[in-house]
Amino acid sequence: MIINQLEKKEKRVTFFEKYETLFDAWTISEKHEKSVFMPNELFEELLELKEQKRISASNIPTIYSYLYLQTWLWRYGMYGQRIPTNGEVKEILGYKHDNKKLNPIIGEGGLLDTLNYTKTEYDFPFIAMYEKQKVTTPDGEEKTIIDASLEMMSEVFPNENIMREVIYENGGTTLTWCKRPMHLYERLDEDGDNIGGTLDFVDYTTKIDLEVFDFCMRNPKELGCTAFYLYAYLKHKCFWHSRESDGYDATAKRIAEETGLSESTVKKYRDKMRDFNMMRLDHNMDFFHPKMDKKDVKASTNIIHHHKHFTLDIVGYEKFGSPEAIEKRQKERAELQNERLLRHRLSKLTANPVEVNTEIEYKNDNDEIETINIKDIDLELPF
């Protein structure tokens, strides 16, 4: 019997094949460990990097998602449970573990290190401690801050051999490194002064729950980094533009200009997000036609949903269609609007709620009682 010495290479088990969700790979012991606060200025800075041709449009969502993941891992000392390899980080973001195109950006000494967004470390935050404190600002304003402290692995295990054993036990090797997200420690204002890192101060940040990130990354073909980046941006704009309705009035073209993505990409992923109920798009007009005058076209309202409303099943939503479909929808909406107007007027007249398709009694000019169906009423009658 001849034994084949060339054994077949075992198929690699990817991160999301091994762990169904991020919550299976790491244990979230505290509610606040699901919250990540991302600096708002990052949106403009990534756009500037694209305009400087230092990154491409496709890099923007990946960089944002990468910084989000590294922020969560570092901020809450998740390396104390598990140390993901660089290949696993790529897999979480929807890439192959051996993808080399990302290395010039996220690798050791890469673009993010050069621009001081990250710093490559061979030591790991091991224990994270948080405590809320009330302080008074120099202006006399009372506010709550987070007193955060991180203990590095080298502090907990000063013996190098023991520290190395812990690294191996947590999934790393002597060559495994992590990234320190620098915005946790330093953020500069327009004058170049440090206004404090997001580890302690979360002013001018956007809070994005880990469930949102996990949901997008587990579905890279439909959502992935692009949907996550778009969700984060829309949440940021919804908060600042309309705190009451949580909506942001903007066309796909405007969002594309503000995010650095193409207009077609914005439309595609906005529709994908609507498919999974991650957001809603309210059309602020009864119908749309390609030949409409631009002044008559209103921007739709972009409204993001809380992660508890996301769905794995594609949901239906109203779409603009052909001119024939538009005309039909316009007629249906006009009829509905007329019915609502009639109910309102007749309810005032009869002092009772009026249902559609019901007959009502009223007094004519001769003070006689007559019966008429609601659909036969002329809207011009002086009710």
Side-chain angles (χ1 to χ4, degrees):
M1 180 178 180
I2 299 175
I3 300 177
N4 187 359
Q5 299 295 330
L6 299 175
E7 297 181 356
K8 289 185 177 180
K9 187 177 180 180
E10 292 185 8
K11 182 183 176 182
R12 177 182 173 85
V13 179
T14 64
F15 184 88
F16 282 117
E17 288 175 340
K18 187 175 183 180
Y19 305 101
E20 186 175 347
T21 72
L22 290 173
F23 298 93
D24 295 325
W26 286 275
T27 301
I28 310 299
S29 57
E30 300 289 344
K31 183 180 179 180
H32 68 265
E33 292 178 347
K34 299 178 182 179
S35 303
V36 177
F37 297 85
M38 295 294 287
N40 292 338
E41 63 269 18
L42 185 57
F43 295 114
E44 293 183 5
E45 291 172 359
L46 291 176
L47 185 58
E48 289 176 6
L49 289 174
K50 180 204 168 187
E51 293 172 351
Q52 295 168 3
K53 300 189 183 302
R54 304 189 72 172
I55 61 174
S56 65
S58 62
N59 293 147
I60 293 177
T62 302
I63 292 174
Y64 190 89
S65 301
Y66 178 80
L67 291 176
Y68 178 94
L69 176 60
Q70 298 299 341
T71 300
W72 177 70
L73 289 169
W74 186 282
R75 179 183 176 91
Y76 299 113
M78 289 299 163
Y79 298 104
Q81 295 185 35
R82 191 176 190 286
I83 301 174
T85 64
N86 194 38
E88 288 177 325
V89 168
K90 292 177 182 178
E91 289 176 339
I92 292 173
L93 298 178
Y95 295 88
K96 291 185 177 180
H97 75 283
D98 55 356
N99 184 298
K100 295 181 179 180
K101 292 183 179 180
L102 293 179
N103 293 345
I105 297 176
I106 68 174
E108 183 175 10
L111 180 66
L112 295 183
D113 280 5
T114 302
L115 297 175
N116 203 38
Y117 283 110
T118 58
K119 181 181 178 182
T120 302
E121 300 274 8
Y122 285 87
D123 196 1
F124 305 87
F126 194 72
I127 300 175
M129 292 172 288
Y130 293 84
E131 183 179 350
K132 290 183 178 180
Q133 290 186 356
K134 289 187 177 181
V135 299
T136 303
T137 66
D139 299 331
E141 179 186 358
E142 289 190 359
K143 61 188 302 185
T144 300
I145 67 169
I146 300 173
D147 182 18
S149 61
L150 293 170
E151 285 193 53
M152 303 300 290
M153 190 177 289
S154 60
E155 296 175 312
V156 180
F157 305 103
N159 184 297
E160 186 176 345
N161 292 329
I162 296 178
M163 175 177 163
R164 190 173 300 156
E165 288 179 9
V166 174
I167 291 175
Y168 275 103
E169 288 174 358
N170 288 5
T173 68
T174 53
L175 299 177
T176 304
W177 40 259
C178 66
K179 294 288 185 174
R180 179 195 295 261
M182 298 310 293
H183 70 82
L184 287 172
Y185 299 93
E186 181 182 81
R187 295 170 72 195
L188 304 180
D189 60 15
E190 295 178 354
D191 298 324
D193 297 325
N194 183 16
I195 59 175
T198 58
L199 191 62
D200 300 301
F201 301 96
V202 294
D203 297 351
Y204 308 109
T205 64
T206 299
K207 175 189 171 186
I208 313 166
D209 293 332
L210 184 65
E211 285 94 342
V212 179
F213 179 80
D214 181 70
F215 186 84
C216 292
M217 297 309 128
R218 285 188 287 116
N219 196 350
K221 292 184 178 180
E222 299 288 339
L223 301 169
C225 294
T226 304
F228 176 71
Y229 170 66
L230 192 55
Y231 180 95
Y233 182 76
L234 291 177
K235 181 171 185 180
H236 156 59
K237 299 300 281 188
C238 286
F239 179 80
W240 286 106
H241 281 259
S242 181
R243 298 191 184 195
E244 293 182 358
S245 63
D246 289 333
Y248 177 45
D249 294 346
T251 62
K253 182 179 180 181
R254 177 177 177 179
I255 295 173
E257 292 172 349
E258 294 172 347
T259 59
L261 305 177
S262 68
E263 185 176 350
S264 60
T265 297
V266 171
K267 289 180 178 179
K268 173 185 176 180
Y269 281 92
R270 200 166 57 172
D271 284 346
K272 293 291 184 183
M273 291 164 65
R274 294 165 73 192
D275 282 340
F276 296 99
N277 207 38
M278 293 181 66
M279 68 168 292
R280 184 170 88 243
L281 196 63
D282 284 354
H283 304 299
N284 296 316
M285 45 199 304
D286 289 331
F287 68 97
F288 170 77
H289 194 283
K291 295 183 179 180
M292 288 179 66
D293 195 312
K294 287 186 178 181
K295 66 179 178 63
D296 296 325
V297 179
K298 298 179 181 179
S300 298
T301 302
N302 300 264
I303 303 172
I304 57 97
H305 291 163
H306 190 274
H307 62 79
K308 67 182 179 181
H309 298 301
F310 296 176
T311 174
L312 294 174
D313 299 319
I314 293 179
V315 297
Y317 59 88
E318 186 175 356
K319 303 178 182 178
F320 286 135
S322 63
E324 293 77 15
I326 293 169
E327 184 178 356
K328 179 182 178 183
R329 184 162 57 248
Q330 181 185 11
K331 183 178 179 181
E332 292 173 348
R333 287 187 174 182
E335 290 179 353
L336 180 61
Q337 190 174 11
N338 287 346
E339 290 173 359
R340 287 174 177 170
L341 180 60
L342 282 170
R343 285 200 298 271
H344 174 71
R345 291 178 174 177
L346 293 171
S347 295
K348 279 192 171 184
L349 179 70
T350 62
N352 292 302
V354 176
E355 299 293 335
V356 180
N357 297 328
T358 58
E359 292 188 345
I360 63 168
E361 293 182 347
Y362 72 101
K363 289 185 179 181
N364 60 22
D365 295 338
N366 298 322
D367 206 29
E368 298 172 339
I369 302 295
E370 290 190 13
T371 301
I372 189 170
N373 189 289
I374 190 172
K375 282 203 167 186
D376 296 329
I377 297 177
D378 186 348
L379 283 175
E380 299 302 320
L381 288 176
F383 283 107

